[in-house]
Amino acid sequence: MKDFIAKILYFILALIILMCVYIGLCAVNPALSEPLKKVVADIEEKKRISAESAAEASAAATSSEAAATESSLEEGTEKESETEEVSTDGPETAHPYNFDLTYKDYVDAWDDSVVDEESKNNPDYKEFVDAFINPSEDTSEGDYPKDSSHMLSPQPEIVDIEDEKEAQEIIDSVDKGETGEGLEFDELYYPYYHMLNDRCKALYRQMYANAVALNKKFAPINEKTTNKEVESAFCCLLDDHPELFWVDISYYFQYDYNGNVIEFDFDFYKNFNDIASARSKFEATAQGLAVGARNLSTPYEKELYIHDLIVDKLNYQYNSLDQSAYSSVVQNYTVCAGYARCFQYLMQLVEVPTYNCHGWGGSERHAWNIIKLDDGFHNVDCTWDDSLAGYDYFNLSDSENKSHRRMEFSVYLPPCVSSDYKPASGQKTIDAGSEASSAANNGNTNISIEVENNGSTITIKAESSVSSGN
C-alpha cells in the first residue's frame, strides 16, 4: 500500500516538474503556449453555447406560458363581455382633474348672455348672482372633508375649420339628426332648461333627442350657433338629466371661419359595450333602490330613506365613470358628482323635485343637491354627510350651508331656507340602505320602510315582500 501511495506522489511530482518546465519554455518562446490557449478557448466557447441554449429554452417556455395565460385571459374577457355590458378601468379616473383653476377663474369665464331674461331679472337670485360675480374672500368655513369634491366641468375639444371649402363639405355632410321638436320639460323637475334663452332651449332639446337616440354627430339646429350656446345647452342638459349616464362630460365641435359651430359630437363613455343593455340595468337598479321609499307617506321620509341608502351604499373613490350616475346607481364607487346625480335621480323617481347644484365646496369644485319639501327648498350634501358620518349637511338653508358657494347656472336655482325636517341631533346615518341595496341587486325583495317621527327619535321599520320584478 505504501509503495502504491509512493508511486502516486512521484507521478504528481513529475507532473508538477513538467508543468514548471513547460511554463519556463513558454516564457522563453511564447509560441509554445498557443495550443494550450486554443484548448482553453474551445472549452469556454462550448460552455457559452451551452448556457445560451439553456437560456433560449427557458425563454421559450416562459413565452409559451405567458401566451397561454394571455389566451386564457382573453377567453375570460370575451365570455365576460357577453354577459356584462360595462367595463371599468380600476380606481383611477379617466378624466384629468385640473386643480389649478381657482374660483376666480370660473367667475372670469362666466357669460350670462345665454340666460333667459326672466331668470336674469328675478330678484330672488340677485344675492347668488352678486356673490358669484363679485365673490368675497374665501373663508372656507365648516368642518368639511378635504378630499370629497372633484366635480368636473364639461370639457370641449374644439376644432377651427379655417378653409371655406372644407367647412362647406362638413356642412353638406352632417345633418341635424333628431331635432327634439315638441319636447317639453317640467320646470319643477328640470329647472336648468328654463334658465336658457330660446336659442339655447332649442339646442338643449336637440341634444336631448340625439342623446336618447344614441346619435353622436349632428349639425346645430340654429343658424350661426356660437361656442357659448353649445357649451351652455350641453351643461344644462347634463345637470337636468342624470339618466343620460352614457354621455361623457367631454364633447367635440367644429366651427367655421365665421365663428359658427357647424358640427357637434357627443363623446359616449367607452366603458359601455352595449348602451341599450346598460340602460336597462341602470333603470332596473334605480327602480329597485327607490322601491322602499315609494310607499312612505311624506317627501321628507322619502328623502331621509334615499339619503341614508346612498350614504350606506357608496364609497368615495375616483373611477372612469365617476362623473356619471351609473357609477353610483349601478356601481358603488364615485365622487361628489356621482353622489349628487344618484340622489337627484332616485328622488325624481319617487316624485320629489331634486336638483343637481354645482359650485365651490371648501376649496374646489363640488356638487350637492337642492330638494323641495313642503316647507321650502333645502341644501343636501350626501357626499359630505357620508364622509362625516352624520347629518351635518342635511336640509340646510343657504346661510347654514357653510363652505358651499353656487356657481354659473346654479345661481338661478331656488333660494334655500332652514328646515325642521332633520334627524335627531347627534344621530348618525341610519344603516337601512344596505337592505334596500340588496333588494335592488337581487331583484327578489321589496323593502318597505316606515318612518315614525316620535319627538326627537326616528324609527325605521323594514318589511320584506315578494317583488314584482325588474
Side-chain angles (χ1 to χ4, degrees):
M1 183 66 180
K2 291 181 179 180
D3 292 339
F4 178 74
I5 294 174
K7 290 179 180 179
I8 292 176
L9 292 175
Y10 285 129
F11 178 75
I12 293 173
L13 179 62
L15 284 177
I16 292 173
I17 294 172
L18 287 174
M19 289 177 65
C20 291
V21 171
Y22 180 75
I23 291 171
L25 291 174
C26 287
V28 176
N29 186 3
L32 294 174
S33 65
E34 290 303 321
L36 182 61
K37 288 182 180 180
K38 186 174 184 306
V39 171
V40 173
D42 288 343
I43 293 172
E44 292 297 327
E45 180 65 14
K46 287 179 181 180
K47 287 182 179 180
R48 184 186 66 80
I49 292 173
S50 176
E52 287 182 354
S53 298
E56 288 176 0
S58 176
T62 302
S63 176
S64 176
E65 182 179 351
T69 302
E70 183 178 356
S71 175
S72 176
L73 288 173
E74 289 176 354
E75 288 176 5
T77 302
E78 289 173 1
K79 290 179 181 178
E80 182 178 352
S81 66
E82 291 174 1
T83 57
E84 183 62 50
E85 70 283 344
V86 62
S87 59
T88 58
D89 55 8
E92 295 300 324
T93 178
H95 297 293
Y97 289 113
N98 188 346
F99 295 106
D100 297 329
L101 292 178
T102 65
Y103 186 85
K104 188 176 184 303
D105 291 330
Y106 292 104
V107 173
D108 294 341
W110 175 243
D111 177 1
D112 69 353
S113 63
V114 295
V115 179
D116 80 314
E117 293 300 318
E118 184 177 350
S119 293
K120 280 198 288 189
N121 297 326
N122 191 325
D124 289 343
Y125 309 132
K126 185 177 187 305
E127 180 181 350
F128 302 114
V129 174
D130 290 346
F132 175 51
I133 296 176
N134 302 298
S136 59
E137 185 178 351
D138 183 12
T139 57
S140 297
E141 300 177 72
D143 182 21
Y144 63 90
K146 303 297 189 293
D147 60 347
S148 294
S149 292
H150 308 315
M151 177 192 176
L152 296 182
S153 299
Q155 303 174 14
E157 179 183 348
I158 305 171
V159 177
D160 182 6
I161 308 299
E162 297 181 353
D163 182 75
E164 183 175 355
K165 182 179 178 182
E166 183 181 356
Q168 190 58 50
E169 288 176 353
I170 293 172
I171 293 171
D172 293 340
S173 65
V174 181
D175 62 27
K176 293 181 173 60
E178 301 292 331
T179 64
E181 184 177 356
L183 288 176
E184 296 182 1
F185 300 95
D186 186 345
E187 186 172 6
L188 188 59
Y189 289 92
Y190 306 104
Y192 286 98
Y193 170 78
H194 295 272
M195 298 174 190
L196 297 167
N197 62 25
D198 289 341
R199 284 176 58 85
C200 287
K201 280 186 174 78
L203 267 175
Y204 175 117
R205 292 192 298 268
Q206 183 189 25
M207 289 180 178
Y208 177 86
N210 280 290
V212 171
L214 305 184
N215 294 333
K216 296 184 69 173
K217 179 190 300 186
F218 52 91
I221 194 169
N222 303 320
E223 294 184 1
K224 298 182 179 180
T225 297
T226 67
N227 299 359
K228 184 61 182 178
E229 290 173 332
V230 168
E231 176 187 345
S232 300
F234 183 75
C235 290
C236 288
L237 177 77
L238 294 188
D239 283 336
D240 271 342
H241 296 280
E243 74 276 12
L244 299 179
F245 62 83
W246 59 92
V247 178
D248 200 331
I249 62 169
S250 61
Y251 61 99
Y252 169 92
F253 66 83
Q254 299 185 93
Y255 64 94
D256 65 13
Y257 48 92
N258 289 321
N260 301 320
V261 177
I262 56 177
E263 178 187 329
F264 176 89
D265 290 56
F266 283 120
D267 183 10
F268 295 161
Y269 281 106
K270 297 175 178 60
N271 302 66
F272 301 109
N273 303 317
D274 182 347
I275 293 177
S277 178
R279 286 174 67 180
S280 296
K281 184 171 185 178
F282 176 85
E283 291 163 6
T285 305
Q287 292 289 349
L289 292 171
V291 69
R294 290 193 183 281
N295 295 326
L296 299 178
S297 58
T298 69
Y300 167 65
E301 292 168 353
K302 295 176 181 180
E303 174 199 21
L304 181 61
Y305 176 86
I306 296 297
H307 171 277
D308 289 352
L309 182 150
I310 288 174
V311 167
D312 184 60
K313 166 181 165 64
L314 297 183
N315 299 282
Y316 188 91
Q317 182 174 305
Y318 302 153
N319 64 81
S320 60
L321 292 171
D322 61 21
Q323 299 298 302
S324 80
Y326 196 97
S327 66
S328 47
V329 171
V330 178
Q331 300 172 333
N332 300 316
Y333 299 93
T334 191
V335 297
C336 67
Y339 276 84
R341 289 187 165 115
C342 182
F343 186 71
Q344 176 190 12
Y345 187 57
L346 296 184
M347 293 310 302
Q348 286 179 351
L349 289 182
V350 296
E351 300 180 345
V352 179
T354 304
Y355 313 137
N356 180 31
C357 185
H358 53 86
W360 203 250
S363 58
E364 57 189 310
R365 280 209 69 133
H366 186 49
W368 67 96
N369 296 103
I370 289 177
I371 188 169
K372 183 182 185 301
L373 302 180
D374 56 20
D375 63 343
F377 290 89
H378 315 294
N379 292 287
V380 182
D381 191 336
C382 294
T383 313
W384 286 10
D385 276 352
D386 189 11
S387 294
L388 299 174
Y391 296 95
D392 293 343
Y393 291 92
F394 185 84
N395 286 355
L396 303 182
S397 67
D398 293 312
S399 61
E400 293 170 330
N401 198 30
K402 296 178 179 180
S403 301
H404 292 73
R405 290 189 293 173
R406 303 188 194 188
M407 291 168 46
E408 302 160 334
F409 286 100
S410 291
V411 300
Y412 299 107
L413 291 174
C416 294
V417 298
S418 186
S419 176
D420 292 330
Y421 291 124
K422 294 180 182 178
S425 178
Q427 181 177 334
K428 298 301 182 182
T429 52
I430 303 164
D431 189 15
S434 58
E435 296 184 4
S437 179
S438 175
N441 293 331
N442 296 331
N444 59 5
T445 305
N446 182 4
I447 302 299
S448 175
I449 303 296
E450 179 184 349
V451 180
E452 298 175 349
N453 194 347
N454 301 320
S456 62
T457 63
I458 292 179
T459 303
I460 302 295
K461 295 180 180 179
E463 297 180 357
S464 298
S465 61
V466 178
S467 171
S468 58
N470 294 332

